[in-house]
Amino acid sequence: MKTKNVIVIGAGIGGMTAAIHLAKSGVHVTVIEKNARPGGRCDRFSRDGHHFDTGPTLLVMPLLYEAEFSALGASMRELLDLQRVDPTYHLVFDNGSKLALTSDMKSLQEQLEKFEPGSFQGFLRYMDEGHRHYHLGIENLVLPDFRKATDFFKLGNLPLVQQVKPFSKHYDNMARYFDDPRLKSAFTFQDVYMGLSPFDAPATFSMMPYTELAHGVWYPRGGMYRVAEALASLAREAGVEFVFDSAVERIDVNGRSARGVNLDGRFLAADAILANADLPYVYQNLLPPNRHAGNLARKRYSCSVISFFWGMDKPFESLPPHTLFLADDYRENFDSIDRDLGLPANPSLYIHAPARLDPSMAPSGQDTLTAIVPVGHMSENGGQDWPALRDEARRHVFRRLASLGITDLEQHIKFETAFTPISWRKRYNLVKGSTHGLCHNLMQLGYFRPDFQHPDYGNLYFTGASTRPGTGMPTAMVSGRHAARRVMDGFGV
């Protein structure tokens, strides 16, 4: 039998995972990537001895990573030099109070009780709920491949309505466990990982703070880009061919099938195509216009971020690896991002200091810092002034750090690279600059997310953040595995 040929568009985490599975099944796989290196949004750059992860900065859900690397015939622990980060985050509130989230229950109990007497028991009950949501959510919402509606809407899934609280809002659900609004925000901010507001997110997402404290937040030495490098290495070992610095211009379709892709003025034929580019971008830019593109355009998109990458000429040792400033006007923060597509007046923001975990991320006697400020995605009318919003966001970062006594940071910046939603759109073809693709509200979860297979073109498949099961690096590996299985089924193998 003739060897099948598959083209994967995009060398993101899902695309590379799918490519490895396909190659190990005997398929000839070519991955075409518009940028100069693999990884997609899990990207990095270096300058003057400073190394920056531009995408995720921490590894969460390690059990899911382990399972997906194992499915590739590899050991995550052998490929990545992981260290546990504990405390996971240092939270700073507007009144100067601080909370270090840690798996040291004695330390956490002492801290929580100072915020709200009796709150540690509420925390333990919340962790019990998170444990249930995590295991039921992974088993019933993340891992299954819902090939037809009855795979999802079945009697066996009916108890999930009560068990994982999909119809309860995450923040509203926190009233069952805490009264202090600071504690409610401390255990719901993780919804931003899905590009969601906790005021819109299902209470199901209590699974995230649970897995962080129960299974750990981890950091690979060398940064999160080591995950992309590990997958790229496995792909090459499996025989996958990479083509970098080449942007696919169009997917060539004929009737009810895809014939191949056009790039650089040439045509590459394929028996099947698997698109790991941002799914709305594929429908809007690589395929002929149809109703599906219009349907996608009407869906809800995740927020975006303004990111600052700073090379510092001196170390700021007082900054821990992960510092999160949470605003008192928590709801207004998210309303401003989701409703107004802007920058909140008093934004919550995140500071990452990777050299606290891996000194090689900065030259000796210097520092590498990343500041991330969530903002709305790009509006349809293009009315946002991103340079002005970028400068305003930078001032907020300096103001927040000054509250910790760090008043000289600006004077010690050797260089700055800043990303706005325009940058995310340009670098990674993310529609609206939405860093997490389609958002994860109730009607865009599980079966309700776009399928792995195009409804009209039978040999065109998808993987990535906007497909099932959703955004995130370990879920992208699940997505890639399912997409590869769909391709093989299409081949009758």
Side-chain angles (χ1 to χ4, degrees):
M1 179 174 139
K2 182 189 172 193
T3 301
K4 295 292 187 181
N5 176 39
V6 173
I7 289 175
V8 176
I9 303 172
I13 301 302
M16 288 194 288
T17 300
I20 298 165
H21 282 292
L22 290 168
K24 290 170 78 73
S25 299
V27 175
H28 180 267
V29 184
T30 303
V31 178
I32 301 173
E33 167 58 47
K34 74 180 283 287
N35 292 322
R37 58 194 166 270
R41 276 167 273 196
C42 178
D43 204 354
R44 81 174 306 177
F45 74 91
S46 300
R47 179 175 169 183
D48 300 339
H50 299 268
H51 307 290
F52 302 89
D53 283 316
T54 61
T57 57
L58 40 79
L59 190 149
V60 297
M61 304 178 80
L63 302 186
L64 193 54
Y65 273 103
E66 282 186 312
E68 293 306 315
F69 271 108
S70 179
L72 293 170
S75 165
M76 177 186 76
R77 301 280 173 175
E78 291 179 4
L79 289 169
L80 303 174
D81 182 6
L82 293 173
Q83 57 180 313
R84 187 161 184 170
V85 184
D86 199 323
T88 55
Y89 307 93
H90 287 78
L91 307 183
V92 183
F93 300 96
D94 281 352
N95 67 353
S97 56
K98 299 175 183 177
L99 174 63
L101 295 182
T102 174
S103 58
D104 179 340
M105 290 297 103
K106 185 174 186 298
S107 169
L108 191 58
Q109 180 177 9
E110 291 172 355
Q111 293 181 80
L112 292 178
E113 292 297 322
K114 290 177 182 177
F115 278 80
E116 177 188 326
S119 61
F120 185 67
Q121 288 304 312
F123 164 78
L124 293 178
R125 289 187 293 109
Y126 182 59
M127 286 294 102
D128 284 342
E129 178 184 278
H131 173 271
R132 183 176 74 247
H133 288 184
Y134 176 84
H135 290 283
L136 289 172
I138 294 292
E139 181 180 347
N140 296 284
L141 298 174
V142 173
L143 292 180
D145 177 7
F146 302 112
R147 299 200 176 203
K148 54 187 184 297
T150 51
D151 290 341
F152 183 73
F153 297 104
K154 59 184 181 182
L155 286 176
N157 278 349
L158 277 179
L160 293 176
V161 174
Q162 294 294 326
Q163 292 170 333
V164 300
K165 300 184 176 180
F167 298 111
S168 298
K169 300 301 185 188
H170 195 181
Y171 191 86
D172 293 345
N173 187 57
M174 298 305 291
R176 298 167 57 92
Y177 306 105
F178 306 111
D179 292 325
D180 193 308
R182 293 171 297 176
L183 298 185
K184 292 178 182 180
S185 62
F187 294 104
T188 58
F189 73 83
Q190 295 87 348
D191 294 347
V192 175
Y193 296 165
M194 274 67 69
L196 263 184
S197 159
F199 299 96
D200 289 331
T204 312
F205 287 128
S206 63
M207 63 189 289
M208 295 308 298
Y210 162 76
T211 185
E212 288 182 344
L213 291 174
H215 307 143
V217 168
W218 300 80
Y219 184 80
R221 293 191 187 277
M224 282 299 290
Y225 192 69
R226 291 287 187 238
V227 178
E229 291 179 324
L231 288 172
S233 178
L234 291 173
R236 291 188 176 99
E237 289 173 11
V240 173
E241 177 185 353
F242 286 92
V243 178
F244 294 109
D245 293 311
S246 296
V248 170
E249 297 158 0
R250 186 164 59 90
I251 298 172
D252 191 283
V253 296
N254 183 20
R256 294 188 62 82
S257 66
R259 297 174 57 246
V261 300
N262 294 93
L263 74 158
D264 303 328
R266 56 197 172 111
F267 172 74
L268 297 181
D271 296 301
I273 296 169
L274 200 165
N276 183 214
D278 186 39
L279 184 120
Y281 174 85
V282 175
Y283 273 92
Q284 292 177 22
N285 296 275
L286 302 185
L287 290 170
N290 61 23
R291 69 187 187 285
H292 304 300
N295 291 339
L296 273 176
R298 289 188 290 273
K299 288 186 179 292
R300 287 189 59 187
Y301 286 72
S302 68
C303 66
S304 189
V305 297
I306 294 174
S307 296
F308 300 99
F309 306 99
W310 290 320
M312 312 300 300
D313 67 11
K314 76 168 214 179
F316 287 83
E317 297 288 352
S318 63
L319 275 176
H322 305 292
T323 303
L324 197 68
F325 294 88
L326 291 175
D328 283 351
D329 46 356
Y330 194 56
R331 182 186 291 271
E332 178 53 36
N333 254 254
F334 287 102
D335 284 349
S336 177
I337 291 169
D338 290 343
R339 179 192 62 213
D340 305 329
L341 301 180
L343 173 70
N346 177 36
S348 298
L349 55 89
Y350 162 73
I351 309 291
H352 177 44
R356 296 302 88 73
L357 301 168
D358 182 355
S360 71
M361 299 300 279
S364 178
Q366 302 183 32
D367 217 344
T368 295
L369 299 179
T370 298
I372 299 177
V373 186
V375 293
H377 61 62
M378 298 172 69
S379 65
E380 298 290 344
N381 60 22
Q384 296 134 309
D385 184 344
W386 290 113
L389 290 170
R390 177 201 61 206
D391 293 345
E392 185 180 350
R394 186 190 298 107
R395 287 192 291 272
H396 283 299
V397 175
F398 294 154
R399 173 180 61 83
R400 290 289 202 178
L401 289 171
S403 73
L404 297 181
I406 300 175
T407 58
D408 61 341
L409 186 133
E410 187 173 7
Q411 296 94 283
H412 291 281
I413 296 175
K414 294 164 52 183
F415 64 83
E416 172 187 283
T417 297
F419 286 5
T420 69
I422 295 174
S423 313
W424 301 114
R425 184 180 66 177
K426 180 179 180 181
R427 286 174 176 267
Y428 309 109
N429 288 337
L430 302 180
V431 171
K432 301 186 180 184
S434 295
T435 47
H436 300 81
L438 297 178
C439 83
H440 295 69
N441 61 332
L442 181 60
M443 295 311 295
Q444 292 178 188
L445 275 180
Y447 173 76
F448 298 109
R449 288 185 83 72
D451 192 16
F452 298 110
Q453 192 166 7
H454 195 284
D456 296 336
Y457 309 119
N459 63 337
L460 175 57
Y461 304 87
F462 306 102
T463 182
S466 291
T467 55
R468 301 170 188 167
T471 194
M473 287 174 61
T475 46
M477 295 181 72
V478 175
S479 176
R481 175 168 55 83
H482 283 323
R485 184 64 259 167
R486 291 284 193 99
V487 173
M488 296 307 296
D489 287 351
F491 291 153
V493 178

CSV table of all heavy atoms in Angstrom, one decimal, residues 17-36:
chain,number,residue,atom,x,y,z
A,17,THR,N,2.4,17.3,18.1
A,17,THR,CA,1.9,16.0,18.7
A,17,THR,C,1.2,15.1,17.7
A,17,THR,O,1.5,13.9,17.6
A,17,THR,CB,0.9,16.3,19.9
A,17,THR,OG1,1.6,17.1,20.9
A,17,THR,CG2,0.4,15.1,20.5
A,18,ALA,N,0.3,15.7,16.9
A,18,ALA,CA,-0.4,15.0,15.8
A,18,ALA,C,0.6,14.4,14.8
A,18,ALA,O,0.5,13.2,14.4
A,18,ALA,CB,-1.4,15.9,15.1
A,19,ALA,N,1.6,15.2,14.5
A,19,ALA,CA,2.6,14.8,13.5
A,19,ALA,C,3.4,13.5,14.0
A,19,ALA,O,3.7,12.6,13.2
A,19,ALA,CB,3.6,15.9,13.2
A,20,ILE,N,3.7,13.5,15.3
A,20,ILE,CA,4.5,12.4,15.9
A,20,ILE,C,3.6,11.1,15.8
A,20,ILE,O,4.0,10.1,15.4
A,20,ILE,CB,4.9,12.7,17.3
A,20,ILE,CG1,5.8,13.9,17.4
A,20,ILE,CG2,5.5,11.5,18.0
A,20,ILE,CD1,6.1,14.5,18.7
A,21,HIS,N,2.3,11.3,16.2
A,21,HIS,CA,1.4,10.1,16.2
A,21,HIS,C,1.3,9.6,14.8
A,21,HIS,O,1.3,8.3,14.6
A,21,HIS,CB,0.1,10.5,16.8
A,21,HIS,CG,0.0,10.5,18.3
A,21,HIS,ND1,0.1,9.4,19.1
A,21,HIS,CD2,-0.2,11.6,19.1
A,21,HIS,CE1,0.0,9.8,20.3
A,21,HIS,NE2,-0.1,11.1,20.4
A,22,LEU,N,1.1,10.5,13.8
A,22,LEU,CA,0.9,10.0,12.4
A,22,LEU,C,2.2,9.4,11.9
A,22,LEU,O,2.1,8.3,11.2
A,22,LEU,CB,0.6,11.2,11.6
A,22,LEU,CG,-0.8,11.8,11.8
A,22,LEU,CD1,-1.0,13.2,11.1
A,22,LEU,CD2,-1.9,10.8,11.3
A,23,ALA,N,3.4,10.0,12.2
A,23,ALA,CA,4.6,9.4,11.7
A,23,ALA,C,4.9,8.0,12.2
A,23,ALA,O,5.4,7.1,11.6
A,23,ALA,CB,5.8,10.4,12.0
A,24,LYS,N,4.6,7.9,13.5
A,24,LYS,CA,4.8,6.6,14.2
A,24,LYS,C,3.8,5.5,13.7
A,24,LYS,O,4.0,4.3,13.9
A,24,LYS,CB,4.7,6.7,15.7
A,24,LYS,CG,5.8,7.5,16.3
A,24,LYS,CD,5.6,7.8,17.8
A,24,LYS,CE,5.8,6.7,18.7
A,24,LYS,NZ,7.2,6.4,18.8
A,25,SER,N,2.8,6.0,13.0
A,25,SER,CA,1.8,5.1,12.3
A,25,SER,C,2.1,4.8,10.9
A,25,SER,O,1.3,4.2,10.2
A,25,SER,CB,0.4,5.6,12.4
A,25,SER,OG,0.0,5.8,13.8
A,26,GLY,N,3.3,5.3,10.4
A,26,GLY,CA,3.7,5.0,9.1
A,26,GLY,C,3.4,6.0,8.0
A,26,GLY,O,3.5,5.8,6.8
A,27,VAL,N,2.9,7.2,8.4
A,27,VAL,CA,2.5,8.2,7.5
A,27,VAL,C,3.7,9.2,7.3
A,27,VAL,O,4.4,9.4,8.2
A,27,VAL,CB,1.3,9.0,8.1
A,27,VAL,CG1,0.9,10.2,7.2
A,27,VAL,CG2,0.1,8.1,8.2
A,28,HIS,N,3.8,9.6,6.0
A,28,HIS,CA,4.8,10.7,5.7
A,28,HIS,C,4.2,12.0,6.1
A,28,HIS,O,3.2,12.4,5.6
A,28,HIS,CB,5.2,10.6,4.3
A,28,HIS,CG,6.3,11.7,4.0
A,28,HIS,ND1,6.0,12.9,3.5
A,28,HIS,CD2,7.6,11.7,4.1
A,28,HIS,CE1,7.0,13.7,3.3
A,28,HIS,NE2,8.1,12.9,3.7
A,29,VAL,N,4.9,12.7,7.0
A,29,VAL,CA,4.3,14.0,7.5
A,29,VAL,C,5.2,15.1,7.3
A,29,VAL,O,6.4,15.1,7.6
A,29,VAL,CB,4.1,13.9,9.1
A,29,VAL,CG1,3.4,15.2,9.6
A,29,VAL,CG2,3.2,12.7,9.4
A,30,THR,N,4.7,16.2,6.7
A,30,THR,CA,5.4,17.4,6.5
A,30,THR,C,4.7,18.5,7.3
A,30,THR,O,3.5,18.8,7.1
A,30,THR,CB,5.5,17.8,5.0
A,30,THR,OG1,6.1,16.8,4.2
A,30,THR,CG2,6.3,19.1,4.8
A,31,VAL,N,5.5,19.2,8.2
A,31,VAL,CA,4.9,20.3,9.0
A,31,VAL,C,5.4,21.6,8.4
A,31,VAL,O,6.6,21.8,8.3
A,31,VAL,CB,5.4,20.2,10.5
A,31,VAL,CG1,4.8,21.4,11.3
A,31,VAL,CG2,4.9,18.9,11.1
A,32,ILE,N,4.5,22.5,8.0
A,32,ILE,CA,4.8,23.7,7.4
A,32,ILE,C,4.5,24.8,8.4
A,32,ILE,O,3.4,25.0,8.9
A,32,ILE,CB,4.0,24.0,6.1
A,32,ILE,CG1,4.3,22.9,5.1
A,32,ILE,CG2,4.4,25.3,5.5
A,32,ILE,CD1,3.4,22.9,3.9
A,33,GLU,N,5.6,25.6,8.8
A,33,GLU,CA,5.5,26.6,9.8
A,33,GLU,C,5.9,28.0,9.3
A,33,GLU,O,6.9,28.1,8.6
A,33,GLU,CB,6.4,26.2,11.0
A,33,GLU,CG,6.6,27.3,12.0
A,33,GLU,CD,5.3,27.8,12.7
A,33,GLU,OE1,4.5,27.0,13.1
A,33,GLU,OE2,5.2,29.0,12.8
A,34,LYS,N,5.0,29.0,9.5
A,34,LYS,CA,5.3,30.3,9.0
A,34,LYS,C,6.5,31.0,9.7
A,34,LYS,O,7.2,31.9,9.1
A,34,LYS,CB,4.1,31.2,9.1
A,34,LYS,CG,3.8,31.7,10.6
A,34,LYS,CD,2.5,32.6,10.6
A,34,LYS,CE,2.8,34.0,10.2
A,34,LYS,NZ,3.5,34.8,11.1
A,35,ASN,N,6.8,30.6,11.0
A,35,ASN,CA,7.9,31.2,11.7
A,35,ASN,C,9.2,30.4,11.6
A,35,ASN,O,9.2,29.3,10.9
A,35,ASN,CB,7.5,31.4,13.2
A,35,ASN,CG,6.4,32.5,13.3
A,35,ASN,OD1,6.4,33.5,12.6
A,35,ASN,ND2,5.4,32.3,14.2
A,36,ALA,N,10.2,30.9,12.2
A,36,ALA,CA,11.5,30.3,12.0
A,36,ALA,C,11.8,29.1,12.9
A,36,ALA,O,12.8,28.4,12.7
A,36,ALA,CB,12.6,31.3,12.2
